C-alpha cells in the first residue's frame, strides 16, 4: 500500500492531510474541553480593574511585558505555574505579548504590592536600579475612565455572557452600585499609597489612572 501511495502524489497528499488533521483534533479538542473554561479561581474583572486594563493597553505595556508563562522549567522556576487557557477566559483581547523587555506579569499580583507599583511607576530606577522603563508620572494626575470600563463590563455581560452578578463571582449591578464598589476598591489601594496628590484627588471624588492600573496588576495571579 505504501508503495502505491508513493507512486500517487495526490492520494499521498490526501492521506498525509487526513493523518495530520486527525492528530490535530486529538490534540486540540481535549484542551478546549478542559482548559478553555475559566479556572475556578478566575473571576470577571471589576470595573476598576477594567479601567486599569484600559490604561495598560493605552500605554502599550504589552509591548514590553508578556502575560504568558510557558511550560519550561526556567520560566516556572521564576514565575510559577505555567499559564493555561482558562486564565484568559475573560480577556478581550488577551495580552500575552510577544516580547519581554521587562519581566512577565502573569503572576505579578502574587508578589508585588500597591506601594511597590506606586514607586515603580513614579520612578522605575528607585526600585529596580537597572530598569530602562520610562517613568509614568502622568498616571498620577490623569483620571481613570470609569464610565468606559463600566460600559465594557455591561457589554461583555450581555454579549459574551460573562457571569457578573452570579453568586460567588464579581458583582456589577447598576451604575450607582458600580460607583460605590469602585470607590471602596480604590480606597483600599490608596490607603497603601504615599502620594498625597492621589489621596487628595480621591477626597474630591477623583480616581487617578495609577490607582486603576494597580487594581489591574494586583488581579494578575
Amino acid at each position: 500500500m505504501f508503495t502505491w501511495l508513493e507512486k500517487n502524489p495526490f492520494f499521498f497528499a490526501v492521506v498525509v492531510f487526513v493523518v495530520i488533521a486527525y492528530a490535530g483534533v486529538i490534540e486540540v479538542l481535549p484542551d478546549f474541553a478542559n482548559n478553555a473554561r475559566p479556572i475556578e479561581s478566575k473571576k470577571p474583572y471589576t470595573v476598576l480593574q477594567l479601567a486599569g486594563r484600559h490604561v495598560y493597553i493605552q500605554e502599550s505595556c504589552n509591548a514590553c511585558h508578556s502575560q504568558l508563562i510557558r511550560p519550561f522549567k526556567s520560566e516556572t522556576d521564576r514565575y510559577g505555574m505555567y499559564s493555561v487557557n482558562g486564565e484568559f477566559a475573560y480577556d478581550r483581547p488577551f495580552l500575552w505579548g510577544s516580547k519581554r523587555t521587562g519581566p512577565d506579569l502573569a503572576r505579578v499580583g502574587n508578589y508585588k504590592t500597591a506601594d511597590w507599583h506606586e514607586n515603580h511607576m513614579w520612578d522605575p530606577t528607585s526600585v529596580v536600579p537597572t530598569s530602562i522603563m520610562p517613568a509614568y508620572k502622568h498616571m498620577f494626575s490623569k483620571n481613570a475612565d470609569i464610565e468606559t470600563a463600566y460600559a465594557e463590563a455591561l457589554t461583555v455581560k450581555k454579549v459574551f455572557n460573562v457571569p457578573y452578578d452570579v453568586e460567588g463571582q464579581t458583582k456589577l449591578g447598576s451604575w450607582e452600585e458600580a460607583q460605590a464598589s469602585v470607590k471602596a476598591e480604590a480606597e483600599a489601594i490608596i490607603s497603601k499609597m504615599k502620594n498625597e496628590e492621589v489621596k487628595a484627588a480621591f477626597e474630591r471624588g477623583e480616581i487617578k489612572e495609577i490607582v486603576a492600573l494597580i487594581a489591574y496588576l494586583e488581579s494578575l495571579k
Side-chain angles (χ1 to χ4, degrees):
M1 178 180 178
F2 292 108
T3 302
W4 180 83
L5 282 175
E6 291 175 355
K7 294 179 180 179
N8 294 271
F10 173 77
F11 292 104
F12 182 81
V14 170
V15 170
V16 168
F17 173 79
V18 170
V19 170
I20 293 175
Y22 177 77
V25 168
I26 293 300
E27 179 68 25
V28 171
L29 282 185
D31 196 52
F32 272 99
N34 297 322
N35 291 333
R37 299 173 183 173
I39 60 176
E40 187 175 347
S41 61
K42 188 67 176 178
K43 290 179 170 49
Y45 293 112
T46 66
V47 173
L48 186 62
Q49 290 167 358
L50 278 176
R53 193 170 190 269
H54 294 168
V55 175
Y56 187 96
I57 294 171
Q58 166 189 299
E59 299 295 339
S60 298
C61 298
N62 55 310
C64 293
H65 295 278
S66 62
Q67 286 187 31
L68 182 67
I69 303 171
R70 296 169 294 184
F72 303 138
K73 188 175 186 302
S74 60
E75 300 219 356
T76 56
D77 283 350
R78 181 178 183 185
Y79 299 117
M81 172 67 178
Y82 60 82
S83 301
V84 296
N85 289 350
E87 293 180 64
F88 311 104
Y90 303 130
D91 285 14
R92 295 179 176 82
F94 63 78
L95 299 173
W96 292 345
S98 59
K99 189 171 183 285
R100 282 187 190 161
T101 302
D104 185 273
L105 300 180
R107 302 280 186 272
V108 71
N110 288 330
Y111 55 86
K112 298 299 184 186
T113 60
D115 64 324
W116 189 95
H117 288 305
E118 175 187 13
N119 294 328
H120 189 231
M121 300 308 292
W122 182 265
D123 179 12
T125 57
S126 68
V127 290
V128 184
T130 58
S131 177
I132 61 172
M133 190 177 93
Y136 288 87
K137 294 181 179 180
H138 60 277
M139 290 185 185
F140 291 75
S141 57
K142 290 181 64 178
N143 290 340
D145 189 349
I146 304 300
E147 290 187 23
T148 297
Y150 179 71
E152 179 182 346
L154 280 180
T155 300
V156 297
K157 175 185 175 182
K158 294 177 180 178
V159 177
F160 298 105
N161 296 317
V162 173
Y164 283 106
D165 302 329
V166 174
E167 185 176 355
Q169 293 286 6
T170 304
K171 298 298 181 181
L172 184 59
S174 66
W175 169 238
E176 290 72 22
E177 291 171 323
Q179 283 181 299
S181 296
V182 166
K183 183 178 180 181
E185 187 177 357
E187 186 173 19
I189 292 172
I190 292 170
S191 67
K192 304 170 188 175
M193 298 176 66
K194 299 181 179 66
N195 190 287
E196 294 300 330
E197 292 184 11
V198 171
K199 292 183 177 183
F202 181 73
E203 294 299 323
R204 299 193 302 268
E206 300 174 2
I207 297 174
K208 299 303 178 182
E209 286 186 343
I210 183 63
V211 179
L213 180 65
I214 290 174
Y216 172 63
L217 293 174
E218 288 189 333
S219 75
L220 300 179
K221 300 180 179 179

